[in-house]
Amino acid sequence: MNRVRCLVFNSALGPLDYRVPEGMAVGPGSVVACPLGPRTVLGIVWDSGRLPGAEVAAEKLRPLREVLPVPALSAPLRRLIEWTADYYCAPLAAVARMALSSGGALKGAATTTEYRLSGGLPERMTPQRQAAIEALEHEQATIRELAGMAGVSEGVLRGLANQGVLEPVEVDCDRPYPLARADFAVPELTADQRGAADRLCTAVTAGEFAPFLLDGVTGSGKTETYFEPIAEALRMERQVLVLLPEIALTEAFLRRFEDRFGAAPVLWHSSLKSTERRRAWRAVAAGTAQVVVGARSALFLPFARPGLIVVDEAHEISFKQDDGVRYNARDVAVMRARFESVPVILASATPALESLAMAEAGTYAKIDLPARFGGAELPAIATVDLTREKPGRGHWLAEPLVAALEERLARGEQALLFLNRRGYAPLTLCRNCGFRFQCPNCSAWLVEHRFSSRLACHHCGHETAVPERCPECGEPDCLVACGPGVERIADEVAERLPEARVFVATSDTLNSPGRAADFVAQVESGAVDVIVGTQLVTKGFHFPELTLVGVVDADLGLEGGDLRAAERTYQQIAQVAGRAGRGAKPGEVLIQTRHPEAPVIAALTAGDRDAFYAAETEARRMAGAPPFGRWAAIVVSSEDESEARDAAHRIGRAKPVLPEATIYGPAPAPLSLLRGRYRYRLLVNARRSAQLQDIIRAWLGPIEHPAGVRVGVDIDPYSFV
Ligand code: ADP
Ligand code: ZN
């Protein structure tokens, strides 16, 4: 009897058994179409005996419909899916879905018709046609994509196609990517870099699991160094995955990669067009995508012949996914490397405490790059004490920082002001009645954005125009902005240094690879004097003429007071400081703070990372926090406040009493309303040896809730709101 157990793409259902029809060839990992009730759902044939489920009588089994024309998911990827679901207490189907992340790819080989300008002109020119023709020079894409690029309707373009102004081009959806060449432009490495690169290359050649922590100061050439093991993998015809924390960083990375290897890598991120997704997915599965650079979702791509995984800026919190399957891409990357038996490199100038602890324990091999490339010095870091140097009312830049900015401007050098707050002001209120603008869906203030004249919620995306009158008391012209965002700092720079050319760099302004590239080009050409930016500009960028970094409010990150606040502040400031003085000219960093004596700030100014990590490690040990203990957050939510509260209390009453775990809560979450859902939290703090996931499953599993209640489990949480 030919039966198989399948993981079906329905998180509410467990694995199901199916009959394999005569003549259908399936094995573990095959992607199949499964009948489910009247519908057909996607499924993956799983290894027999690994998924629990009821045995259904043979005659009741329904036959599989078809096998989809893609390679079977490999055993290491199946193990990774199992591990991720188990470790993060997530449904297997939800994790597996991340591996089959391109619907188009599953349909098999195909061609599509794209269009490009033929050079001809329409019989009758209209403003829209004119605009389309101007916008689409050098572009080739489907009508729909071209319409998006040109900002005209598809109808306009179809008209142009009918007249031959746009000509059709048949393209193979899976046309191969240009080949990267290992020896295209081999750099001359410094002795330190060479030593590091050699160790990493040896590991790639060995083809075994080997985790490395590449710990190098900012500007030490970590990228240059890990390019060598990538070259080694290319020589062995093995695939490489490079994870970057932000799409905004990929542009700079692509250029460097192309300079080194003669061709761009394959990109993977959430805003790829669906045709690009399917092409990338299929090339990864076929083994022809040599190097994939992507955001965390690239981790679950079906690599045919992986040889190396790199996680750049590995400490970054954006590697933690905070909805859906709540996984940490850094940790999953290490697990994937383990299942695939390949080396993994975690590169960072400010590693996560957890990673350093793994290195100290000998689990990760630590490789140091202690000096900047080309003899550049690390910048001098000093504080500006805001309790003494008070900026004027409605101002945030203290005199010493303004003076330093003026100096740079006079010398034709560049400066970067860092404030991790988008928009103009984090709170808007009515001077007359005190009304505060709040999001209707979240317990959060609306943030004013002056560029777009909108009030926006940074949690749910709710937006409204800035009204002329107070919506509460009806008074006109009475709204006041409270506190600064980057846009307001940019205004202050313009006021204090009228001739300075200012660029506000945030996820609002660098929201596409093209815009990010444009930003880099402007700064490199010297068209920008002062960059005002959020955490987006704290890493990856290399601007030799940038010699001053000002941290507008170092205390901001410490206020939340969560477990990782100090570490995150340290990392952020050390990273942004690392943007200064990367070229021949020395860099200077000024940190504005009301607490110059705080251990984080003192460690930064003293350049004493070891002292900071030692103190932070001790604090974590005392608190039983990671890496010494384990945390898990349980977030209970519902659109109905009392339903959420009842569910949270039901869970609270059932909490187990155990020597190895303490459970706190339930309590209303700090963000007690988010996207229209009321939220309660519980927190589990367990000993390292505790079987945390088993405890949680045994506790939460039997409790039933109304359909509107969601219970999210966040293992190793980063967010405490
Ligand atoms: P990190 O990632 O450690 O901050 P990068 O890899 O960005 O450092 O290197 C900093 C700068 O130094 C880059 O412009 C890089 O091209 C340059 N660089 C580093 N090592 C070398 C080398 N061996 N040869 C030439 N340029 C190098
Ligand atoms: Zn909101």
Side-chain angles (χ1 to χ4, degrees), residues 187-190 193 216-225 256 312-313 373 540 542 579 582:
E188 230 173 273
L189 297 184
T190 65
Q193 292 174 342
V217 297
T218 53
S220 57
K222 291 185 288 297
T223 316
E224 228 66 41
T225 302
R256 284 181 72 174
D312 204 353
E313 312 285 1
F373 173 75
H542 180 77
R579 297 313 106 201
R582 293 169 73 92

Side-chain angles (χ1 to χ4, degrees), residues 298-384:
L299 253 183
F300 293 93
L301 285 171
F303 288 92
R305 278 193 299 280
L308 172 67
I309 300 175
V310 178
V311 185
D312 204 353
E313 312 285 1
H315 61 279
E316 275 294 323
I317 55 167
S318 52
F319 283 124
K320 178 71 166 63
Q321 171 143 312
D322 267 331
D323 47 40
V325 180
R326 295 165 200 230
Y327 65 97
N328 186 325
R330 166 165 41 92
D331 297 333
V332 179
V334 173
M335 290 314 292
R336 175 132 203 203
R338 206 169 122 183
F339 290 126
E340 301 280 3
S341 299
V342 301
V344 54
I345 303 168
L346 308 181
S348 173
T350 51
L353 222 65
E354 285 88 341
S355 302
L356 274 180
M358 294 295 257
E360 248 152 54
T363 312
Y364 297 174
K366 189 158 170 294
I367 302 184
D368 294 314
L369 292 176
R372 278 190 157 179
F373 173 75
E377 293 288 324
L378 283 169
I381 304 184
T383 54
V384 177

Side-chain angles (χ1 to χ4, degrees), residues 439 441-442 457 459-462 675:
C439 176
N441 315 316
C442 309
C457 172
H459 297 287
C460 72
H462 170 84
R675 293 183 204 104

Side-chain angles (χ1 to χ4, degrees), residues 546-577:
L546 201 159
T547 59
L548 172 71
V549 165
V551 177
V552 176
D553 186 351
D555 310 330
L556 197 59
L558 291 172
E559 277 160 9
D562 72 51
L563 166 68
R564 291 187 175 83
E567 182 188 9
R568 193 152 58 223
T569 298
Y570 184 89
Q571 288 166 337
Q572 247 173 15
I573 296 181
Q575 285 287 338
V576 69

Side-chain angles (χ1 to χ4, degrees), residues 122 129 143 153-166:
R129 287 177 168 179
I143 290 281
S153 73
E154 291 178 36
V156 170
L157 297 189
R158 275 200 211 93
L160 290 176
N162 288 340
Q163 296 189 28
V165 180
L166 284 174

